[in-house]
Amino acid sequence: MTRSRPPVLLAVLALLATTACEDRPITAPAPDEAPRGAKVGPPPRELWTSDDEFARVAGAEVPGFAGYYFDEDGVPVILLKDHRQREAAERYLAPLLAQAGRGRNAGPMPRPVVRKVTHDFAELKGWFDQLEGLMPRDGVHTLDVDEVNNRITVGVRDEAVARGMRREAARLRVPPGVLGFKMVGPAVPAISLQDWTQTLTGGFQIAKPGGLCTFGFNAVHQGAWVFVTNSHCTYDVFVLGSTIITQPLYYQGYEIGNESADRGMYDCAGLFTSCRKSDAAYIRHNGARTIGQGKIAYTELSYGAPAPLEVLGYYDVSRRFTAVAVGSILDKTGRTSGTTYGQVLEACVTAYPAYNGVQYTLRCQDLTSIWAEAGDSGSPVYVWRDNGTVELYGVLWGGPPLPGSTTTKDPDLTYTSRLAGIEQDLGALTYLCAPGYGC
């Protein structure tokens, strides 16, 4: 993965920190309006597609019409069996071309050109309907009336599947040459960091009563599987087990674990003789879903801006990372802004965050330029390696506010808690790495 790195910032003003957890009500999914499979009212009418419309036009309005498309220069290309139908085709397409001339294609629309073809759209749609009656078939992944190539294009797994489709087409008397093939895999649904996931890994959205946070990373604590997120993402640090964490929303049936290790927010007195060194809590897995040992989800990478939230894959944690110097690069994956990276601007800072109107002390935190927004609290922070693995460093928890604000976090400035500080506060962790690695 190619990564450009920003220049080191010379100075950063360390302001009063605010948490990055998104404190807003969670709307539970609405229940089904009717039981699954129940019939309510008349059955829906079959969808009238653009293919159906173009087939109708070819048979009744513009004889020989075979569709249209835009070439690489944005010029409309009308496909006709008979050039003499050009005027009728342009009349029919006028409102469609007017629509196409908006948005990113805004501007004068070039006059269409006409291309002569062998088959009209009604013919192609008829053969398409015959072949569609054979679906689904193993290894056939797409079926399309391909107006650009004036054929029916079938996306298949391999040449053996294509041979089988050719035999079926011949049996149905689809003319030779009408069928075209492309080798393609099955469509894979895109998953977002904010979606439900069966395998729990770093970076995905989690929920607490009243807000959303981010799943940090998995580990074993005192013989039990836990995951790490921020302490301020839990409900009551003094009553362990009182916080039920869910994924992705706070909704019955989505429970994934209970708080099992925490202590007073950034406490320096009272029951504790030392200040906290992390904003972290351990949540014990309840066994409802698969544990992604040593896995952190990643998206497209971004610096100085939020990244898209589509999950592109999963990093393997290959080792721990103990401490960083100013100018080092750290990455994070969070439910709001995806995978972003930044530089360490100040190392081992004592921060004084405010929580519920009270100011606390938090020792040895790192201030970075990692982009983070509300809801990214708990994000795993790690060092990316060019072998495709990552070294786990800690969790993200908040950052200074924007100039002139006391409540809105500056997305360009973010505090992180180190793994070493997390363990000093809450206890040793094992099995942090993916299977096959040694931590």
Side-chain angles (χ1 to χ4, degrees), residues 306-318:
L309 297 182
E310 179 181 343
V311 176
L312 300 182
Y314 300 87
Y315 290 134
D316 281 344
V317 175
S318 58

Side-chain angles (χ1 to χ4, degrees), residues 142-162:
T142 62
L143 189 65
D144 177 46
V145 178
D146 181 353
E147 52 267 46
V148 175
N149 295 297
N150 196 230
R151 68 183 186 186
I152 298 169
T153 296
V154 189
V156 295
R157 180 181 58 216
D158 51 35
E159 182 55 39
V161 177

Side-chain angles (χ1 to χ4, degrees), residues 164-190:
M165 285 297 292
R166 288 190 187 96
R167 288 194 295 270
E168 293 288 355
R171 182 179 64 81
L172 294 171
R173 298 186 179 180
V174 176
V178 165
L179 225 54
F181 293 91
K182 64 178 181 180
M183 302 303 159
V184 65
V188 178

Side-chain angles (χ1 to χ4, degrees), residues 172-402:
L172 294 171
R173 298 186 179 180
V174 176
V178 165
L179 225 54
F181 293 91
K182 64 178 181 180
M183 302 303 159
V184 65
V188 178
I191 182 172
S192 160
L193 291 171
Q194 298 179 7
D195 288 342
W196 187 94
T197 177
Q198 173 59 38
T199 301
L200 297 168
T201 65
F204 275 88
Q205 174 174 297
I206 57 175
K208 63 162 187 171
L212 302 174
C213 285
T214 297
F215 188 110
F217 55 86
N218 291 299
V220 170
H221 175 242
Q222 297 180 347
W225 278 105
V226 300
F227 64 89
V228 179
T229 190
N230 286 158
S231 179
H232 77 256
C233 291
T234 63
Y235 184 67
D236 186 343
V237 298
F238 296 108
V239 184
L240 293 183
S242 64
T243 297
I244 298 173
I245 299 294
T246 60
Q247 198 286 321
L249 299 176
Y250 203 74
Y251 188 58
Q252 186 175 1
Y254 288 0
E255 299 91 342
I256 58 173
N258 289 75
E259 180 183 16
S260 61
D262 202 348
R263 51 180 276 197
M265 284 295 294
Y266 324 129
D267 208 343
C268 283
L271 299 176
F272 303 97
T273 58
S274 64
C275 297
R276 284 202 65 164
K277 300 174 182 67
S278 67
D279 182 345
Y282 296 168
I283 312 298
R284 184 166 181 167
H285 283 277
N286 64 7
R289 304 194 205 175
T290 306
I291 297 168
Q293 180 186 342
K295 299 288 186 181
I296 295 174
Y298 65 87
T299 67
E300 183 180 322
L301 186 68
S302 179
Y303 173 77
L309 297 182
E310 179 181 343
V311 176
L312 300 182
Y314 300 87
Y315 290 134
D316 281 344
V317 175
S318 58
R319 60 184 292 182
R320 298 166 175 256
F321 200 90
T322 54
V324 293
V326 171
S328 302
I329 301 295
L330 295 173
D331 294 20
K332 78 95 176 65
T333 301
R335 57 80 57 196
T336 306
S337 58
T339 302
T340 58
Y341 71 95
Q343 289 183 303
V344 177
L345 305 172
E346 297 180 16
C348 204
V349 178
T350 297
Y352 302 99
Y355 184 74
N356 286 343
V358 180
Q359 199 163 348
Y360 296 88
T361 302
L362 196 55
R363 296 274 173 82
C364 203
Q365 308 300 292
D366 297 302
L367 180 66
T368 78
S369 61
I370 297 172
W371 185 279
E373 301 177 42
D376 284 331
S377 284
S379 297
V381 178
Y382 48 90
V383 176
W384 179 84
R385 295 302 185 193
D386 57 9
N387 65 359
T389 68
V390 299
E391 299 181 9
L392 187 62
Y393 188 65
V395 293
L396 177 152
W397 57 265
L402 287 166

